[in-house]
Amino acid sequence: MGCLLFCLAYFNYRLHYQPRLTHVSGGIVNEDVLNQLRFLQVRMHNGAPADMQQLYPEGFVYLHALYSLSCLDLTVHLPQSSPVKQWALTEAAWSIDEIDSPSARLIFDEDLPLPYGAFYQGWLTYLEGRYLAVQPPAQRPPDVAARYRSRCALIARALRQHPSPYLETYRGAAWPADAVVCVAALAGHDRLFAAQYQPELRQWLSAANTHLDSLGMIPHAADAQTGHVLQAARGSSQSQLLNFLIEIDSVYARQHFNRYRQHFLTSRFGLPGIREAANDSADVADIDSGPVILGIGGAASIVGRRTMQRYGDTTTAVGLRNSIEAFGMPFQIRCQKRYVFGQLPIADAFIAWSNALENNRTITNDTNWRLNFHLVSSALALVLYWIMRRLGRRPTTV
């Protein structure tokens, strides 16, 4: 009983978490995320991507992409001369090289209309674009820029020729969230260089808008050739793709965000969470969703924290952030912060990516979203205390 009371007190305390900001050369940085990345750096350079590949179909690429994007997001505001910024660029460049390697491409099909498929090309191309975007034009590596522009041309050609807006990831299999990353890479190109892909962006938006599910949302899975919905929108894929859709067309993305918020945002015991299945649909749990508890998706909620911040819902963003801090079992040793005992680096990478937007100032809100959980916890604590008192008064049997 005492242990339960301690856990309740701990969870309630962690709901008031605020990330620590620290001064570094050239500016201020979120120290908690930096310590997450220090932990991941050690794991990344000691085989974690290969380990994650054994657990997830795209674990190697996914882990590298999330790690490098987190490094770039965290330090985007720092001057180029900052040692922390240089460290982040070095790590991102290393991850790009790791993804752009024969071993990373082994599981992907080179002979698809978009070579190696939408997941591989989308994440690699988008990552290269972000790596270029955080550097002054004169300091952008010409070889990376050339590869990036070449990959963008491949994606644009595939989109023009494909019968549906959702490019294949594997032969005969399409997950629309992967196509959104591909299109976001083209949108990034037109912000970096002369606008070249506006027709492809307009065409894709128009085509995608005619291949939505019954809720008017981009589906989780679609027929690779026709684009017909095979699986309706799910929290995990919506939380992810909305972070990229806003970079393609912010007005259109806002419409989808509002539907996402309407159909997937919920609460349990007074705390916010993102459902994996919309509304009252039957629960679904698989490798994409991560753990689903009481209908709340693990991946959906972790990435949803980032999504809410990107779209300006700071109350929900803080609620999700602090719920992860309360229940994610974080701890720090030697300036290295990890979650879930550091046993699943892909989870640490998702949390780092979600928190990295909060790079040099904390997000706050004036709504006491914690109140309901505090009340529920207080009631439960009273019940536990009463039980302990009753047990303490029980006569001893001779």
Side-chain angles (χ1 to χ4, degrees):
M1 294 294 183
C3 182
L4 289 175
L5 287 172
F6 173 80
C7 288
L8 277 176
Y10 172 79
F11 293 150
N12 280 271
Y13 167 74
R14 292 300 294 175
L15 290 179
H16 292 268
Y17 162 83
Q18 284 287 335
R20 292 167 295 178
L21 303 182
T22 187
H23 288 270
V24 298
S25 177
I28 297 172
V29 73
N30 186 324
E31 184 180 357
D32 284 359
V33 178
L34 182 59
N35 289 339
Q36 284 184 259
L37 294 175
R38 285 171 175 152
F39 166 72
L40 280 169
Q41 180 185 17
V42 174
R43 297 299 304 273
M44 295 292 293
H45 289 271
N46 285 277
D51 293 341
M52 293 301 97
Q53 185 61 42
Q54 302 303 312
L55 298 176
Y56 301 96
E58 300 88 24
F60 185 92
V61 173
Y62 227 155
L63 185 53
H64 271 294
L66 293 170
Y67 171 64
S68 52
L69 288 175
S70 301
C71 289
L72 297 176
D73 278 351
L74 180 65
T75 60
V76 64
H77 63 288
L78 297 178
Q80 202 74 2
S81 59
S82 167
V84 176
K85 178 68 165 281
Q86 287 301 310
W87 167 82
L89 290 171
T90 299
E91 289 299 296
W94 172 71
S95 278
I96 289 173
D97 288 342
E98 289 293 299
I99 297 173
D100 190 18
S101 67
S103 58
R105 290 189 288 267
L106 278 176
I107 67 165
F108 301 103
D109 187 351
E110 183 180 7
D111 296 325
L112 289 173
L114 176 60
Y116 304 109
F119 178 90
Y120 179 83
Q121 290 288 6
W123 281 95
L124 176 54
T125 308
Y126 180 85
L127 174 55
E128 288 178 330
R130 287 284 296 129
Y131 177 75
L132 294 169
V134 301
Q135 302 183 71
Q139 297 183 36
R140 293 169 184 163
D143 56 333
V144 177
R147 291 196 301 269
Y148 171 64
R149 301 187 76 164
S150 176
R151 289 189 224 281
C152 284
L154 282 177
I155 291 172
R157 184 180 67 187
L159 287 170
R160 288 192 297 268
Q161 296 176 352
H162 200 64
S164 94
Y166 306 133
L167 299 171
E168 294 169 286
T169 288
Y170 301 106
R171 189 165 300 279
W175 287 271
D178 297 339
V180 176
V181 181
C182 287
V183 180
L186 297 188
H189 173 281
D190 283 7
R191 287 190 293 271
L192 281 172
F193 306 106
Q196 182 177 342
Y197 295 116
Q198 294 307 300
E200 286 79 6
L201 299 180
R202 290 192 296 269
Q203 177 189 0
W204 184 85
L205 286 167
S206 176
N209 204 41
T210 62
H211 292 80
L212 304 176
D213 71 4
S214 61
L215 297 176
M217 306 179 75
I218 293 174
H220 183 74
D223 184 278
Q225 295 303 312
T226 67
H228 292 163
V229 176
L230 296 180
Q231 191 171 11
R234 286 173 47 181
S236 53
S237 54
Q238 288 296 309
S239 291
Q240 176 183 295
L241 70 84
L242 283 166
N243 280 280
F244 299 94
L245 193 62
I246 195 172
E247 299 181 11
I248 301 170
D249 186 317
S250 60
V251 175
Y252 183 72
R254 173 66 59 176
Q255 298 169 9
H256 282 259
F257 171 76
N258 291 337
R259 295 170 195 149
Y260 160 80
R261 202 178 184 284
Q262 175 187 355
H263 297 296
F264 288 92
L265 177 61
T266 187
S267 66
R268 297 289 185 269
F269 309 109
L271 300 180
I274 306 297
R275 298 183 184 95
E276 181 60 20
N279 299 328
D280 297 322
S281 302
D283 284 346
V284 58
D286 56 20
I287 199 68
D288 293 326
S289 68
V292 177
I293 302 172
L294 300 177
I296 302 300
S301 297
I302 290 172
V303 182
R305 173 266 184 275
R306 178 185 174 94
T307 309
M308 292 298 173
Q309 185 173 345
R310 288 215 75 176
Y311 287 82
D313 185 351
T314 57
T315 296
T316 306
V318 170
L320 290 169
R321 180 196 70 191
N322 288 18
S323 296
I324 293 165
E325 287 295 320
F327 298 97
M329 294 171 285
F331 70 96
Q332 182 170 308
I333 301 175
R334 295 188 297 275
C335 297
Q336 295 180 20
K337 184 178 181 180
R338 68 215 71 187
Y339 292 79
V340 291
F341 305 110
Q343 296 302 302
L344 198 61
I346 194 76
D348 287 282
F350 269 116
I351 294 170
W353 185 53
S354 293
N355 286 337
L357 286 181
E358 202 171 359
N359 48 35
N360 66 339
R361 61 181 179 180
T362 60
I363 56 172
T364 58
N365 68 86
D366 298 324
T367 304
N368 192 4
W369 55 270
R370 308 168 184 85
L371 179 60
N372 286 340
F373 186 82
H374 288 335
L375 292 174
V376 171
S377 298
S378 297
L380 182 56
L382 287 173
V383 170
L384 291 173
Y385 178 73
W386 179 82
I387 292 173
M388 291 172 67
R389 289 292 299 266
R390 293 285 294 178
L391 291 174
R393 291 177 178 176
R394 181 177 297 173
T396 302
T397 302
V398 179

